[in-house]
């Protein structure tokens, strides 16, 4: 069997869903399990209405929900025709009634907790999976919807819940495998799960890719296909740099680094379950299904070029912790990292000197409290609007002089931090956020001009 995951743009309207259904139909012989995202932008809209309700603005929340209801009804109506839609309508109606009731409740209390946020956010995938199931059925496919909350077991860290792999995979084998073996196409919503006690959770933004990989690993899929709106993983974000080229094949390690440092086309956790079971992952374009896409595999073939791709992650804050006391003081770094741990703030890039440490974190509201805590240990400064730029390639290991070439190209750019070595396959540095587009374009021009045709399209 195979897993086919369709992202938001691939199910954004009736036309896109019909196209996705056609792609699934063409692969019936491979026994697909289909994992879907919410319709494009729906998760953002759900979170906006949840926040409005949390601020006590019930009318705005309900108006946004009405617009969402209309969009889903129109999409389903267009896909199914009036006859089938009339039967299906009441099912969606129940979900929207539940959503409105929830919003009214949140507005009445005037407080939005992470737990209720998840209840609201989950509607996107709950609705899209129902519509995609109905669409496949109307195309004559023998299809069955499985509610992800029955299979995807997570902890209770709401809005970024951690899947419990063994329990989830056991449930997938018990509930989904028999359906697949009976010749049914199973559809599931990505992103959404539930705690063991049955409380709805979500596994973090962009998490449907991760859901697909967990399903693939649990069912021992031959391949995991991530269907998106680009021809594959590109040498850089095509929105930033139109010259970006498709990478035909890339290693799990390279793809994971790129995903983590901003290549949004793949959620960074996707690679893990696939690596564990050595299942190849393909990134494909639902608008251009004949394109070969990108294959992510355990080992990439030899490549003439040093780098495979450049990624950038914006909305980064640098935290500088400086203490003369650090001289010879063992335990200082531990105390710093313990503070990050207490505030549950993950660190990306670190550089140290004898008397100071600089760290980068995603900009968010917990930084002032963290900084106040760190100020008990040392002098602390923090500054937002930074970006991490990351160049990735397996050949970095063996190629001398690369840092000189990269930074030589950027001699007029203020580089705030540099890191190379941890994974041996990336060269990472931190710059001002507004410099990202020009830095990426300049590096792309130099390092992606003459590309190995075995690896790049
Ligand atoms: P989906 O809704 O299918 O999950 P996403 O919006 O999450 O799709 O990811 C696809 C987008 O990722 C592309 O439209 C592109 O703008 C962006 N992107 C960023 N970096 C890259 C890259 N290196 N290769 C391909 N796409 C990238
Ligand atoms: N719909 C969710 C999001 O927008 C999950 C996903 O699309 O992967 O974050
Ligand atoms: Mg995505």
């Amino acid at each position: 069997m195979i897993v086919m995951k369709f992202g938001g743009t691939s199910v954004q309207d009736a036309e896109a869903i019909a196209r996705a259904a056609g792609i699934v139909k063409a692969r019936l012989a491979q026994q697909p399990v289909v994992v879907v995202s919410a319709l494009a932008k729906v998760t953002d809209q759900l979170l906006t209405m949840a926040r409005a309700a949390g601020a006590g603005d019930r009318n705005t929340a309900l108006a946004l929900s009405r617009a969402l209801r209309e969009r889903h009804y129109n999409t389903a109506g267009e896909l199914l025709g009036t006859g089938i839609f009339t039967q299906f309508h009441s099912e969606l109606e129940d979900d929207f009634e539940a959503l409105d009731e929830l919003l009214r409740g949140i507005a009445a209390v005037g407080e939005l907790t992470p737990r209720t946020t998840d209840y609201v956010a989950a509607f996107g995938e709950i609705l899209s999976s129902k519509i995609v199931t109905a669409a496949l059925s109307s195309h004559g496919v023998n299809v069955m919807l499985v509610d992800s909350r029955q299979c995807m077991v997570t902890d209770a860290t709401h809005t970024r819940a951690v899947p419990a792999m063994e329990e989830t995979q056991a449930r997938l084998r018990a509930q989904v495998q028999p359906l697949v073996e009976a010749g049914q196409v199973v559809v599931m919503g990505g992103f959404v799960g539930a705690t063991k006690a049955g409380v709805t959770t979500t596994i973090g933004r962009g998490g449907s890719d991760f859901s697909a990989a967990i399903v693939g690993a649990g069912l021992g899929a031959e391949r995991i296909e991530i269907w998106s709106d680009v021809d594959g993983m590109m040498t850089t974000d095509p929105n930033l740099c139109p010259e970006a080229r498709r990478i035909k094949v890339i290693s799990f390690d390279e793809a994971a680094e790129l995903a983590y440092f901003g290549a949004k086309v793949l959620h960074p956790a996707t690679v893990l379950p696939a690596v564990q079971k050595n299942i190849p992952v393909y990134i494909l374009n639902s608008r251009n299904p004949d394109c070969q896409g990108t294959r992510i595999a355990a080992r990439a073939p030899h490549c003439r070029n040093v780098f495979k791709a450049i990624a950038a992650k914006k909305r980064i804050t640098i935290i500088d912790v400086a203490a003369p006391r650090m001289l010879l003081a063992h335990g200082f770094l531990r105390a710093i990292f313990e503070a990050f741990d207490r505030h549950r703030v993950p660190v990306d890039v670190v550089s140290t000197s004898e008397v100071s440490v600089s760290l980068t974190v995603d900009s968010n509201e917990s930084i002032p409290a963290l900084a106040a805590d760190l100020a008990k240990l040392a002098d602390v400064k923090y500054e937002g609007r930074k970006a991490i730029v990351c160049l990735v390639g397996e050949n970095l290991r063996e190629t001398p002089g690369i840092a000189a070439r990269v930074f030589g190209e950027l001699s007029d750019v203020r580089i705030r931090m540099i890191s190379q070595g941890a994974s041996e396959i990336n060269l990472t540095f931190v710059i001002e956020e507004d410099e990202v587009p020009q830095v990426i374009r300049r590096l792309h021009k130099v390092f992606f001009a003459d590309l190995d045709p075995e690896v790049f399209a």
Side-chain angles (χ1 to χ4, degrees), residues 123-193:
F123 276 97
E125 273 70 10
I126 292 172
L127 293 160
S128 68
S129 59
K130 287 185 178 171
I131 294 177
V132 169
T133 304
L136 281 165
S137 174
S138 79
H139 274 72
V141 175
N142 180 8
V143 58
M144 182 72 134
L145 175 68
V146 171
D147 188 329
S148 311
R149 292 168 294 186
Q150 309 292 326
C151 296
M152 180 66 69
V153 185
T154 73
D155 70 4
T157 321
H158 286 284
T159 74
R160 50 194 162 97
V162 180
M165 291 295 180
E166 270 175 32
E167 175 76 27
T168 300
Q169 300 193 342
R171 289 199 192 185
L172 285 163
R173 281 192 293 274
Q175 295 176 33
V176 178
Q177 187 120 18
L179 300 172
V180 175
E181 279 163 9
Q184 287 192 300
V185 171
V186 171
V187 176
M188 300 173 69
F191 181 54
V192 175

Side-chain angles (χ1 to χ4, degrees), residues 303-341:
C303 176
R304 279 204 267 110
N305 302 87
V306 184
F307 295 123
K308 292 279 170 53
I310 320 176
K313 188 174 174 190
K314 293 189 180 177
R315 283 180 291 283
I316 295 296
T317 294
I318 295 186
I319 303 182
D320 292 314
V321 187
R325 269 184 292 143
M326 186 181 171
L327 271 169
L328 301 176
H330 69 87
F332 183 71
L333 284 176
R334 193 191 62 201
I336 291 180
F337 280 106
E338 277 172 357
F340 281 83
D341 194 37

Side-chain angles (χ1 to χ4, degrees), residues 281-448:
V281 176
Y282 291 78
I283 300 180
L284 298 156
N285 189 350
S286 66
R287 292 187 185 145
N288 184 17
D290 294 332
C291 177
Q292 301 274 297
T294 299
R295 182 167 61 90
I296 309 175
R299 247 173 247 289
H302 175 76
C303 176
R304 279 204 267 110
N305 302 87
V306 184
F307 295 123
K308 292 279 170 53
I310 320 176
K313 188 174 174 190
K314 293 189 180 177
R315 283 180 291 283
I316 295 296
T317 294
I318 295 186
I319 303 182
D320 292 314
V321 187
R325 269 184 292 143
M326 186 181 171
L327 271 169
L328 301 176
H330 69 87
F332 183 71
L333 284 176
R334 193 191 62 201
I336 291 180
F337 280 106
E338 277 172 357
F340 281 83
D341 194 37
R342 274 197 301 282
H343 292 266
R344 295 175 153 269
V345 175
V347 174
D348 279 334
V349 184
V350 184
S351 69
T352 66
S353 77
E354 188 55 39
V355 292
S356 69
V357 191
S358 297
L359 313 99
T360 69
V361 300
D362 291 350
S363 304
N364 67 44
E365 60 288 345
S366 48
I367 291 171
L370 166 68
D373 214 1
L374 287 169
K376 293 176 195 152
L377 302 168
D379 296 332
V380 180
K381 277 191 309 210
Y382 61 93
E383 210 181 315
R385 293 179 194 279
K386 303 289 173 279
I388 297 173
V389 176
C390 177
L391 287 137
V392 171
E394 301 262 8
N395 287 348
L396 200 54
R397 284 200 185 98
E398 291 99 30
T399 320
I402 283 300
R405 279 182 63 199
V406 169
F407 296 116
E409 284 304 325
L410 303 177
S411 56
D412 57 329
V413 176
R414 181 153 182 242
I415 312 282
R416 296 292 304 261
M417 285 169 71
I418 297 177
S419 152
Q420 192 195 338
S423 78
E424 291 194 309
I425 62 165
N426 81 39
L427 173 60
T428 301
F429 53 93
V430 180
I431 58 173
E432 299 298 324
E433 192 173 74
D434 52 12
E435 302 237 57
V436 165
Q438 62 118 346
V439 163
I440 295 250
R441 279 185 219 124
R442 282 163 65 180
L443 291 176
H444 196 271
K445 209 170 200 167
V446 175
F447 289 99
F448 297 85

